Every structure is written in C-alpha cells, then in structure tokens.
Amino acid sequence: MNDSSRSLVEVGISMVLKDNFTREAGRISESFRTMMSDMRAATQGYQGAFGDITELGWNLVGSMYDAYKYAAAVQNEIFLASKIAGANIKEAQELMATAQKVNAETPLTAAQVASAERYLAMAGNSADKIQDLIGPAGKLASIFGMNPGDKGGVADIMTNIMAMFQMDTSNASRVADDIYTAVTNANMSLEDLMATVRYSGADMAAAGVSFRELAAAAGALGDVGIQGTMAGTSLGNMIRYLQLTLAGQKKNGLDTLNELGLSVKDFYDEMGNFKGIGNALQQFLGVYKNMTSIERTQDFYNMLGVRGMRGMIPILEAMAKGNDKFTKIMSRYDENAGAVDETLAQWKQTNQGIIDQFESSMENLRVSFGQASGGPFNFLLSAGTKIVDWANSLIQQGGPGADMVSSGVGLIITSTVWVTLKGILAFVQSIGNYTKSIQVATTTTAEASVSSRGIMLNGFTAVEQHLMSLNTNVRNIYAIVSRHLGVGVNRQGGFYVSNAANYRKNYGNTSPTGKPIKGGQFLKGNVQGDVA
C-alpha cells in the first residue's frame, strides 16, 4: 500500500474514532447533567419536606398549647367554684366531670358550664347542690339560647328563684320544667320572667305564694303587654296591699272588701295561710263582672292601691272575657313534667342538634387533651419562668446586668434621636432643594415668556409688512385692470366708469351686468357714471 492510501486509511480510522468518542462523551455529559439535576431536585425536595414538617410541627405545638390554655381556663373556673363552695379535691374533680357531661349533652361550651358552676357557688350552693342545679340550668339555657353562666345567666336565675322560694336543689329539674312551661305558654321571655320575679318575688314568697302562681300571673300580664319590671312592680304592690287590706291595715280597703260581700276567710285558711293568687282571682272575679267601670276603679283602688290594681284588673278583665291564661298555665305545669329533657332530646335529632353535639364532643376532647398535655407545657413554662426570673434579677436595680441594659437603652435612644434628626434635616434640605427648583423653573419660564413675546412681536411685525406689501400689490393690480377695462368698483360695491373710451371699447353702451346705462350716452374722456 502506497503512502497516500495509508494516509487516507489513517484519516478515516481517526475520524471514526473521533466520532465514537464524541458521541460517547456527549452521552456521559448528558448523564452527568441529568444526575446533577436529579440531585438538585432531591435536595430541594428534602429542604421542602423539612420545612413542611417543621411548619406542621410548630402548628401542632401551637394547637396543643391553645388546647392547654383553654383547658386551664376551664379548670380555673372550676377551681374558683370549688373554693367558693368549700369543696375538697375529689368534689372539684367531680365538678369538672359534671361540666364535661353537661357540655356533651348540650350545645354549650365547657367554659360556659364552668362559669355557671362558679355563679352557682357564689349563690351559696355547695358542691353537691351545684351538681343538682347545673344540669337543668344548662339544658334550659340551651333551649332558650341563653348563656348559663355570668351574672343574670340561667344558672343565676334558677338559683335565685329557688333560694327566694326556699326550694331544695333536688327539685331543680321540676323548677326548670315550670320555667319552661310559663315562658312557652305566654307572651314573655325568660328575662321578662326573671325581672318580674326580681321585683315581686320577695313579697310573693313572704305572702306564701308559690313560684308557679307568680309565673302564671306574670304570663297572664305578659299576654296583655305588661311584662318584666312593670309586671313585677304591679304584682308586688297587688299582693302587698291585699295583705294590708285583709289585715285591717287599710281600713278603706277592708270596708270595701266587706261591702263587696267578701271577708278575710275567703282569702285565708283556718291556719292563717294565704290561699293563693288563684283563689284571690276567683273571689274577685265573681263581683268584678257585676261592677261598673267607675266602681271597679274606686273599689280596687281602695283595696290594692294604684299600682296594685294594675296587676289585678287586667287579669280579671281577660278572665271575664273567657281568656283565663292564669288557669291555663297552672294546669300545664303537671302536664309538662320532664318537658325540658324531652325538648332537648327532640332537638338532638335535628340537623343543628347533631352538628352541635359533634362540636360539643370535639370541645370535650379539646379540654381532655389540654389537661393531658399539661405535664410537658407545665415543665416548659416553669423552666421559662425561671429563666425570665433569672434575667430579671440580672437587670434589677443594682444587678450586674443593669448597667448593660441602661447602656443599651441609652444607645437605642441616642440612635433613634440621631436617625430622627437626620431624617428631619434631609426633609428640610429636600424642601430647600424643591424651593430652588421652583425658583429656577419660575425664572426660566419668565425668560422664556419674554423671549417668546419678542419672537411673537417680531413675527407680527413681519406679517404686518407682508400684508402692507400685499395690499399695495393688490391696489396696483386693481388700478391696472380698472384702467384697462374702464370699470371700477365703488365702496358700496357698485360699478362706475373709470375710463369712458376703454369702457365703450370693451362694453359698448351696455353695463357689465347687462342693465341699461343710466345717464344716457357717455361723454368723451374719463367720465364718472353709474353703470350698475
């Protein structure tokens, strides 16, 4: 093989080897880039996952801490209730368990129930009496959508009623049923009923009137628009003045009573006990129907006074017309035994009831979880308190850290003042620069205005000269044309003969408008004649 052939072969082999190497190198490079991209993606995934896990962890810690604080607030209410009621540790634990039980049975929160227990304790109830009261009070509050705790809450209302009428807490369920019956059978709210009791309960209880009769009378007045404190004031005065009349303390009242054919025995039994409002209403109803309006006013004023007659006459008037709401409510009390429990059970079957029960269960879980997680948080917070106390001891007056804190505070104040002053200075400088800019702009504008005025004057002068030149040229042209045609135009727009010879040459004896020439034949020479 000659040298040239051998060279060609070597070149071919070299090219083949080079192509194979380049292709394989490219593949290796591509694989390496893919590997690096995968590594970066994996690293980003690890970092993202770590961040998500960290964020999730802190969110869980925050939620657990919220549950811990909520449970602590509930426990604090129970703690205060137990201390006020003089309960021991076991009784305090039972109060907590009762609060969670009531929470599970009603749409109330554990905090609301715990607050109700505290107010029951403030009313003088012991731990066992609180457990008797809290269930019915919580159920009644759930039905009427009221807060069981706080001042004026349902628990406060119930315990005040029961204390006022000397009822044992074992009758709490029956009292709740009676309240429910009175409110749902008349035009009044639970707040109205409580206001009526507050203004008349003491007088009614002292007279021996039962809570049922008071509530029924409040309902009867509620139906005619007398509610709340107004009803309480009227009923309180009615029973007070009636007793004074029956006791002979109001002589006019007793005389009027006797004139109506009534006596003390009609209102009191052999033991001297008042027979009740229902009996009094029936006694008065018999004579009320036969009275004239003026007799009713005079007689009931003598027996019950102005405000007392307002509580008696509206009820008697409704009864006389067949609307005996008092008797109707009284008859429903025994029929409605267990009404609160039954109503709450029916509510639990509604969609809202199911939702509320689930949320109550979740809240109970939150309280239980918060109680269970108290150990770790108690340890952390206790340790944190020690650290804060240690830091506080360092910076207290005379402590080793006091000078450092003082210096740091002084540095911060000085830096803040310096930055503020620099900001004010910069602001003042910016105002100065802005003022200078305005001055420069004003001067420039004025100069430009003067320059522009000069340019405009020069322009106007040039235009004036051009117009004057144009006018001269036009006049010259006009003179030439007028002379050639022999016709000119006067100021009124009429034609006149400026050159008779040229006119006759161009127009003869007729005018340019075709009208006859005034004045007859033209004279020789330049003759002024009207040709219009």
Side-chain angles (χ1 to χ4, degrees):
M1 182 181 293
N2 54 30
D3 292 339
S4 60
S5 300
R6 185 174 58 189
S7 297
L8 291 173
V9 172
E10 290 175 350
V11 170
I13 293 172
S14 176
M15 293 177 65
V16 171
L17 291 174
K18 182 178 180 180
D19 289 343
N20 290 335
F21 176 79
T22 302
R23 183 166 56 252
E24 293 302 323
R27 291 177 180 174
I28 293 172
S29 178
E30 183 179 357
S31 298
F32 182 77
R33 287 195 299 269
T34 302
M35 180 186 69
M36 293 303 295
S37 177
D38 292 341
M39 289 179 64
R40 285 194 297 270
T43 302
Q44 292 174 354
Y46 293 146
Q47 292 175 347
F50 177 77
D52 292 341
I53 292 173
T54 302
E55 183 179 0
L56 177 62
W58 281 113
N59 288 337
L60 287 174
V61 171
S63 298
M64 289 186 291
Y65 184 65
D66 289 340
Y68 166 74
K69 289 198 300 181
Y70 183 75
V74 174
Q75 285 179 308
N76 185 61
E77 288 288 311
I78 300 297
F79 173 78
L80 292 175
S82 64
K83 289 301 179 183
I84 295 171
N88 54 37
I89 296 177
K90 180 181 178 182
E91 288 173 331
Q93 292 174 345
E94 290 175 350
L95 287 176
M96 185 67 185
T98 301
Q100 289 186 288
K101 179 182 177 182
V102 173
N103 179 35
E105 294 176 345
T106 65
L108 304 174
T109 65
Q112 287 177 320
V113 179
S115 174
E117 288 188 346
R118 179 162 67 90
Y119 273 87
L120 289 175
M122 291 169 60
N125 294 293
S126 60
D128 57 336
K129 290 184 177 180
I130 292 173
Q131 294 190 57
D132 289 337
L133 287 165
I134 189 60
K139 294 174 182 178
L140 197 62
S142 301
I143 292 173
F144 290 113
M146 293 179 60
N147 188 357
D150 295 337
K151 192 65 177 175
V154 176
D156 188 37
I157 291 174
M158 280 195 61
T159 190
N160 288 341
I161 289 174
M162 298 186 72
M164 187 175 293
F165 290 90
Q166 297 297 307
M167 292 183 283
D168 190 81
T169 56
S170 59
N171 297 318
S173 294
R174 182 178 64 81
V175 173
D177 290 336
D178 291 346
I179 293 174
Y180 172 83
T181 300
V183 172
T184 57
N185 283 276
N187 181 21
M188 67 176 176
S189 65
L190 182 53
E191 293 91 338
D192 290 334
L193 176 59
M194 188 56 217
T196 301
V197 172
R198 190 178 297 116
Y199 275 74
S200 63
D203 291 315
M204 291 289 183
V209 177
S210 68
F211 168 70
R212 282 187 170 186
E213 284 197 316
L214 172 55
L221 287 179
D223 271 15
V224 296
I226 303 175
Q227 301 155 342
T229 58
M230 186 184 299
T233 301
S234 299
L235 292 175
N237 278 272
M238 180 192 75
I239 194 66
R240 188 184 313 117
Y241 281 101
L242 178 59
Q243 285 187 298
L244 292 174
T245 292
L246 295 172
Q249 298 297 315
K250 283 179 63 67
K251 188 175 184 305
N252 288 342
L254 184 58
D255 292 341
T256 300
L257 187 72
N258 293 330
E259 290 176 3
L260 294 175
L262 299 172
S263 66
V264 176
K265 294 181 180 179
D266 294 320
F267 297 90
Y268 286 93
D269 60 17
E270 293 81 1
M271 303 297 296
N273 298 316
F274 186 64
K275 294 182 180 180
I277 294 178
N279 172 71
L281 289 171
Q282 292 298 326
Q283 296 295 336
F284 284 125
L285 182 61
V287 296
Y288 179 86
K289 293 179 179 180
N290 299 320
M291 288 181 175
T292 63
S293 296
I294 190 170
E295 289 174 340
R296 292 169 182 171
T297 301
Q298 292 174 342
D299 292 345
F300 282 100
Y301 171 78
N302 290 335
M303 293 184 292
L304 306 177
V306 175
R307 293 181 178 179
M309 61 186 290
R310 292 175 185 170
M312 176 68 73
I313 290 181
I315 299 178
L316 292 175
E317 182 67 19
M319 294 174 69
K321 293 181 178 180
N323 185 19
D324 189 358
K325 179 55 68 73
F326 178 88
T327 303
K328 179 182 178 181
I329 294 176
M330 291 296 296
S331 65
R332 294 296 302 275
Y333 284 130
D334 292 333
E335 297 175 3
N336 274 4
V340 170
D341 288 336
E342 183 180 352
T343 301
L344 196 62
Q346 293 173 353
W347 166 81
K348 288 182 178 180
Q349 302 304 315
T350 64
N351 292 340
Q352 189 61 50
I354 293 171
I355 293 172
D356 289 343
Q357 285 182 89
F358 174 75
E359 292 180 350
S360 295
S361 299
M362 291 297 296
E363 196 198 22
N364 264 336
L365 176 62
R366 182 185 181 191
V367 174
S368 299
F369 185 86
Q371 288 179 297
S373 61
F377 283 113
N378 289 340
F379 172 76
L380 290 174
L381 294 177
S382 297
T385 301
K386 292 180 180 179
I387 294 173
V388 173
D389 290 342
W390 173 76
N392 184 45
S393 66
L394 291 179
I395 63 176
Q396 283 179 346
Q397 190 68 29
D403 294 337
M404 184 182 298
V405 172
S406 178
S407 300
V409 172
L411 179 61
I412 292 173
I413 294 174
T414 303
S415 301
T416 303
V417 172
W418 173 246
V419 171
T420 304
L421 290 175
K422 288 185 66 177
I424 295 173
L425 180 60
F427 178 70
V428 172
Q429 290 177 345
S430 66
I431 292 177
N433 294 334
Y434 180 69
T435 304
K436 290 179 180 178
S437 300
I438 293 176
Q439 292 175 348
V440 171
T442 303
T443 303
T444 303
T445 302
E447 292 175 353
S449 176
V450 172
S451 177
S452 299
R453 183 173 62 183
I455 294 172
M456 291 175 67
L457 289 174
N458 292 334
F460 288 145
T461 302
V463 171
E464 183 181 12
Q465 292 174 353
H466 284 300
L467 290 175
M468 291 174 65
S469 176
L470 179 62
N471 183 54
T472 301
N473 293 332
V474 170
R475 290 175 66 86
N476 292 334
I477 293 171
Y478 170 75
I480 295 170
V481 172
S482 176
R483 192 165 51 249
H484 175 72
L485 296 177
V487 179
V489 181
N490 59 25
R491 293 181 179 179
Q492 288 74 30
F495 293 103
Y496 69 92
V497 177
S498 60
N499 188 293
N502 289 338
Y503 185 87
R504 280 194 288 271
K505 178 182 177 181
N506 290 309
Y507 301 104
N509 291 327
T510 61
S511 69
T513 60
K515 295 181 180 180
I517 296 176
K518 298 179 181 180
Q521 298 296 324
F522 289 109
L523 300 177
K524 294 180 180 180
N526 293 330
V527 180
Q528 299 295 325
D530 188 4
V531 299

